[in-house]
Amino acid sequence: MTEEKTETGPKEKAELKVSGMTCATCAVTIEKALEGVEGVEKADVNLGLERVVVEYDPKKTGLTDIRKAVAEAGYEVVPERVIIKIGGMTCATCVETNEAALKALPGVLEATVNLGAEKAYVTYIPSKVTVADMRRAIGEAGYQYLGIQGEETGELEREARERDLRGKLTRAIVGLGLGLGLMAMMYFEVPLPIDMGLFMFLVATPAFLWLSYPIFLAAYRALKNRVLNMDVMYSMGIGVAYVASVLGTFGIVLTPDFMFYETALMLAGFLMLGRYLEARAKGRTGDAIRKLMDLAPRMATVVREGAEVVIPAADVVPGDLVLVKPGERVPVDGDVAEGESYVDESMITGESIPALKKPGLPVVGGTLNQNSVLRFRATRVGKETVLAQIVRLVEDAQGSKPPVQRIADRAVTYFIPAVLSIALISFALWYFVAGETLLFALTALISVLVIACPCALGLATPTAVTVGIGRGAELGILIKSGEALEIPGKITAVIFDKTGTLTVGKPSVTDLVPLGIPEATLLSLAAGVERNSQHPLARAIVREAEARGIRPEETSSFDTLGGKGVLATVLGEEVLIGNRTLLRERGISIGGEVEERITRLEAEGKTVMMVSAGGQPAGLIAVADTLKPSAGETLRRLSAMGLGVIMITGDNARTAGAIARRLGIDRVLAEVLPSGKVDEVRKLQAGGEVIAFVGDGINDAPALAQSDLGVAIGSGTDVAIESGQIVLVRDNLVDVVAAIELSRKVMTRIKQNLFWAFAYNTALIPVAAGLLYPFFGITFRPELAGLAMALSSVTVVSLSLLLKGYIPPARRVPSTGEGHGH
């Protein structure tokens, strides 16, 4: 970043990377667009480097306006994205403090902090701001910079976390131990050579100062950044308790009745205990992503110049021949060149049965080779591997906030001022209005300050999102954002694309009806003719012959007959395969019984081909796209959830209707061209439906994008699908139900967490303020208030962690197509 002084004030320069430029006119377009922005003095585009250098007046415009102008011109400023690990965050206000500190840096376009994952997701312009600047900003805000995601900082991060945990636990033990000791001494009136108050002052002061130092420091930093947070409230609570005790000890203004030393120590101890338990639990929310990252082996064996060499996996390049022995993990993605072995892919796809890998088939980095040696050619390495893409997708999703979190964030901003007001009002009411003792009023004030817990509110959503999305990744259900968690609860109907989604997408022979010749002869003749064609129906007949071990007959003079069928000479006779029209044109008569059989097969949604040899009908072959075994069970489960099920297809109404009947679907949209799917989705949405669209992610991309929830299925290794908020790795329809169940479960858990956090605060703050005292004589001791506060955050995090073991009901039953829910 450079500054130049001119007569109008300091100018700033920014170098931006721009994508989408192809020729000199693009450069001119961008320059014109930028010079049209008020405050931009000069814009120079370098087409070769795809960069633009902008000189502007920061008082009149900023990077957001410049980026917008480039976008409106039809290009895109390519910012960089970094994920920073942050230590020392405890509650929602810590998130606000870090977000504010990062957003205040010139060049930072966006900063989102996830408290559960303890990470900041920052989008920035590298020419204006560096990671070092971000590190400084985090440090100045009072938190620890623990490195960048993806760097080898795992060890550093673990050491920092363990050090932090040890520190918190030690402080908790000292605070609670000393506090309880002093409490017992007061209770049993232990005789001492010096005054009890003075003794307590001498014992408690060094311990209190050491214990509360991190709390006061955090409060000071928060106030410096103009943020009211948990630490500020807590510091006030323990500070008032300690200062009142000192004044009471020396008889300044207060009497020796004001002995809160043990309270001050126990409060600081409880806060540290709560934060220790919370940090320990929070550390476990990111287990799923850490497990995924640990799957990739650090080393790889490659064959170079005939010799086996062990090198770091990061040094493998596409084209390398990689060797994997039984029991080893595959280091990068590739295609098998030699060998056959079973590979356990469960960690990527959630599919428990190992897959057989033969030459030509793909292998995925991070999967486990089981029984024999495989040699494969590396295709995707480093950040391009499927595993790296899944990790990136899960991290991005964990960094996004579902709309429900915004409610909690808003509540937290009003929460602390409200609590401070309640504390001061309760003090004033008890002391000045009700005429209670100063001691009583002060106790109420301290109790209110230490019982209020915005931490529980701050942790309710991010911990559940982090654990839930991580659990999805383990099950092969990739949820791409926090928003995608909320929509499944609102869906009213699910649209399935037929070909390749409900069906296998590959036609196969379903019926052979020989007329006067053996079945094997009919198939041998037909396969001989169809071997010359590339038509999907022809391929189905050839595959059937291969599967039955029947050798196709030799043919000569093959010819296709304009969409009606094909013709060839087999063993000196003319063999025709085609539809009714073709046979009639050739003067071959079809009897009424055969006609009836054809109509019956067509009513079942099958395509019927007629075979004639030597001018006589020889038989019928029916071909259909077979349904996936899990289709029936999936649709039954969705109906049981009260969702409408719709099938969309390009097939004619009769074929579509036959398949729909077999599946029990009552709403069918037939004869819809691929481009018309989007319009059908729009029509349903206009009628008030909230639509989930299930398709293959490539042909159905526009419809997936238009629907309220796009579910791309069976992507296998292609997880970088742009469309679809949920990507299912396995090609199993049951996962559509599992994805809805998982999302709803996470949302239910978030709502439970928020309920507990709100209920806890609304129920206990009035009790701490002394609301029950006039009626039942009940008051809240500050120590108990501190304990309750510590437990509330731990409860919320523990509830989120329960999601780690969640198995959606749809996945509890073996998905055979016959399975029933329970």
Side-chain angles (χ1 to χ4, degrees):
M1 176 179 135
T2 58
E3 283 195 6
E4 302 166 13
K5 289 265 186 203
T6 66
E7 55 285 355
T8 53
K11 294 277 177 295
E12 288 200 8
K13 250 188 198 173
E15 188 180 318
L16 313 174
K17 188 166 170 52
V18 176
S19 70
M21 294 194 285
T22 49
C23 60
T25 46
C26 300
V28 175
T29 310
I30 291 172
E31 281 174 5
K32 277 213 178 101
L34 288 172
E35 280 161 7
V37 175
E38 192 195 350
V40 171
E41 304 283 323
K42 200 164 141 207
D44 289 321
V45 175
N46 181 325
L47 185 61
L49 292 173
E50 290 192 312
R51 295 194 187 285
V52 56
V53 176
V54 189
E55 215 172 285
Y56 64 97
D57 181 348
K59 288 193 177 123
K60 293 182 181 170
T61 189
L63 286 174
T64 312
D65 297 335
I66 290 169
R67 190 180 175 199
K68 199 166 146 200
V70 173
E72 281 169 1
Y75 305 90
E76 192 189 349
V77 171
V78 184
E80 287 199 11
R81 190 146 191 269
V82 66
I83 300 174
I84 298 173
K85 303 173 199 172
I86 300 178
M89 294 194 292
T90 51
C91 64
T93 35
C94 302
V95 170
E96 278 179 38
T97 308
N98 277 300
E99 282 181 0
L102 288 166
K103 284 176 181 165
L105 295 170
V108 169
L109 301 170
E110 209 179 314
T112 311
V113 174
N114 179 324
L115 180 60
E118 297 185 292
K119 288 179 189 143
Y121 302 78
V122 188
T123 309
Y124 67 104
I125 304 291
S127 66
K128 295 288 288 175
V129 66
T130 64
V131 174
D133 298 332
M134 296 175 206
R135 177 183 193 154
R136 211 166 34 248
I138 291 165
E140 282 169 6
Y143 299 88
Q144 297 151 299
Y145 167 93
L146 298 175
I148 291 174
Q149 185 72 29
E151 282 182 348
E152 289 299 319
T153 55
E155 200 58 39
L156 272 174
E157 197 184 346
R158 206 173 63 248
E159 277 171 21
R161 180 169 280 128
E162 279 170 7
R163 208 168 41 243
D164 179 50
L165 284 172
R166 268 198 311 276
K168 286 189 168 105
L169 186 60
T170 312
R171 281 187 156 91
I173 292 167
V174 170
L176 295 173
L178 261 181
L180 286 166
L182 291 178
M183 205 171 169
M185 286 179 76
M186 278 175 75
Y187 189 74
F188 295 114
E189 294 177 357
V190 177
L192 291 166
I194 57 169
D195 174 58
M196 173 69 88
L198 194 59
F199 171 79
M200 287 178 97
F201 169 73
L202 293 171
V203 171
T205 300
F208 177 76
L209 293 176
W210 174 71
L211 256 174
S212 59
Y213 169 73
I215 306 168
F216 281 115
L217 183 67
Y220 164 71
R221 283 174 170 157
L223 290 171
K224 199 175 90 179
N225 287 307
R226 295 204 181 96
V227 176
L228 277 176
N229 71 359
M230 177 80 188
D231 294 298
V232 174
M233 285 200 312
Y234 220 86
S235 302
M236 286 172 72
I238 59 177
V240 167
Y242 178 74
V243 171
S245 308
V246 174
L247 293 176
T249 303
F250 297 105
I252 307 164
V253 185
L254 301 176
T255 63
D257 291 335
F258 290 79
M259 283 297 163
F260 287 117
Y261 288 117
E262 81 290 2
T263 303
L265 286 173
M266 285 173 76
L267 284 178
F270 275 130
L271 180 71
M272 284 300 161
L273 178 68
R275 289 196 173 168
Y276 164 76
L277 292 169
E278 186 187 302
R280 232 184 72 174
K282 218 161 57 182
R284 290 174 51 211
T285 60
D287 279 358
I289 199 120
R290 273 196 292 278
K291 266 192 225 150
L292 277 173
M293 291 166 90
D294 290 344
L295 288 176
R298 300 269 174 264
M299 307 302 282
T301 308
V302 293
V303 181
R304 291 203 174 147
E305 295 167 8
E308 290 178 17
V309 197
V310 177
I311 61 169
D315 295 345
V316 176
V317 293
D320 269 345
L321 188 63
V322 185
L323 183 106
V324 194
K325 297 179 180 132
E328 288 183 348
R329 289 196 181 277
V330 177
V332 295
D333 296 359
D335 294 321
V336 178
E338 293 169 48
E340 263 189 34
S341 181
Y342 280 95
V343 175
D344 177 4
E345 298 185 317
S346 60
M347 58 295 292
I348 302 283
T349 62
E351 185 67 77
S352 54
I353 300 158
L356 177 63
K357 297 294 177 183
K358 308 192 270 201
L361 290 175
V363 285
V364 178
T367 55
L368 185 67
N369 183 22
Q370 289 195 327
N371 55 330
S372 70
V373 177
L374 282 178
R375 283 186 167 83
F376 70 91
R377 287 262 169 234
T379 52
R380 289 190 285 201
V381 298
K383 289 183 176 175
E384 300 307 309
T385 64
V386 171
L387 184 62
Q389 288 176 14
I390 290 178
V391 167
R392 213 161 40 241
L393 200 140
V394 173
E395 280 178 346
D396 286 352
Q398 289 178 339
S400 65
K401 293 182 182 183
V404 71
Q405 189 176 341
R406 293 177 201 139
I407 302 167
D409 288 351
R410 251 205 318 279
V412 168
T413 51
Y414 297 118
F415 181 83
I416 292 170
V419 170
L420 286 173
S421 309
I422 292 168
L424 293 169
I425 290 166
S426 69
F427 176 83
L429 284 174
W430 287 122
Y431 188 57
F432 297 111
V433 180
E436 285 290 339
T437 60
L438 180 59
L439 183 61
F440 182 90
L442 210 53
T443 308
L445 170 85
I446 295 169
S447 295
V448 172
L449 288 174
V450 296
I451 202 162
C453 187
C455 292
L457 280 175
L459 288 165
T461 311
T463 52
V465 167
T466 303
V467 178
I469 287 175
R471 180 65 187 138
E474 290 174 346
L475 293 166
I477 298 165
L478 304 177
I479 298 164
K480 287 166 75 174
S481 69
E483 281 86 354
L485 283 169
E486 284 204 21
I487 305 163
K490 300 171 186 166
I491 288 169
T492 57
V494 184
I495 301 180
F496 284 91
D497 181 47
K498 185 202 76 137
T499 310
T501 303
L502 288 173
T503 64
V504 177
K506 205 180 195 181
S508 55
V509 173
T510 55
D511 301 82
L512 284 169
V513 184
L515 300 171
I517 58 170
E519 195 173 85
T521 310
L522 172 65
L523 193 54
S524 169
L525 281 175
V529 176
E530 296 289 24
R531 197 169 49 174
N532 302 297
S533 167
Q534 288 305 309
H535 193 283
L537 299 179
R539 309 298 319 141
I541 292 171
V542 175
R543 270 199 307 276
E544 184 69 15
E546 281 169 2
R548 293 189 185 204
I550 293 170
R551 204 168 57 82
E553 293 287 355
E554 293 299 321
T555 60
S556 58
S557 64
F558 174 81
D559 198 9
T560 59
L561 305 166
K564 294 174 199 162
V566 290
L567 162 78
T569 307
V570 183
L571 305 172
E573 285 198 338
E574 188 179 72
V575 176
L576 272 172
I577 303 178
N579 56 19
R580 292 191 191 76
T581 319
L582 177 66
L583 268 71
R584 284 205 191 97
E585 278 176 10
R586 297 274 166 161
I588 298 166
S589 65
I590 308 160
E593 201 177 307
V594 176
E595 188 77 61
E596 203 176 295
R597 189 73 188 267
I598 293 170
T599 311
R600 201 161 58 243
L601 288 167
E602 283 179 344
E604 290 169 20
K606 296 168 184 173
T607 303
V608 182
M609 290 178 279
M610 305 188 60
V611 182
S612 78
Q616 293 301 315
L620 308 175
I621 300 177
V623 175
D625 191 353
T626 47
L627 290 171
K628 285 184 183 170
S630 55
E633 181 194 346
T634 300
L635 301 182
R636 270 198 305 280
R637 285 177 177 274
L638 289 171
S639 299
M641 290 164 98
L643 299 173
V645 177
I646 302 166
M647 182 175 87
I648 195 165
T649 174
D651 288 352
N652 63 54
R654 189 155 107 188
T655 309
I659 289 171
R661 273 195 302 282
R662 275 166 66 196
L663 286 169
I665 297 175
D666 46 15
R667 291 169 77 184
V668 181
L669 304 170
E671 296 174 33
V672 179
L673 297 171
S675 56
K677 289 176 187 172
V678 175
D679 299 329
E680 293 295 342
V681 172
R682 275 201 199 108
K683 268 185 220 158
L684 289 162
Q685 285 170 328
E689 299 266 24
V690 180
I691 297 292
F693 189 101
V694 184
D696 67 6
I698 298 146
N699 308 329
D700 302 322
L704 286 167
Q706 173 62 40
S707 60
D708 300 283
L709 181 72
V711 181
I713 188 170
S715 60
T717 54
D718 186 16
V719 296
I721 288 175
E722 287 303 313
S723 41
Q725 293 103 306
I726 295 180
V727 176
L728 304 178
V729 181
R730 302 195 311 166
D731 192 4
N732 190 328
L733 283 167
V734 167
D735 282 355
V736 174
V737 185
I740 294 174
E741 288 169 343
L742 175 69
S743 303
R744 288 181 172 184
K745 180 75 178 177
V746 175
M747 283 313 297
T748 306
R749 187 53 40 89
I750 289 173
K751 284 170 185 164
Q752 281 171 353
N753 282 352
L754 287 170
F755 168 77
W756 282 118
F758 275 114
Y760 158 84
N761 281 304
T762 42
L764 294 187
I765 291 173
V767 177
L771 187 70
L772 300 179
Y773 182 67
F775 310 106
F776 307 104
I778 294 173
T779 57
F780 222 142
R781 282 202 63 133
E783 299 90 315
L784 290 174
L787 175 65
M789 183 282 308
L791 290 176
S792 67
S793 319
V794 177
T795 307
V796 162
V797 180
S798 305
L799 278 171
S800 293
L801 284 173
L802 289 174
L803 288 168
K804 285 176 74 159
Y806 175 70
I807 300 168
R811 288 283 282 267
R812 289 175 205 163
V813 180
S815 53
T816 57
E818 278 74 56
H820 298 279
H822 58 236

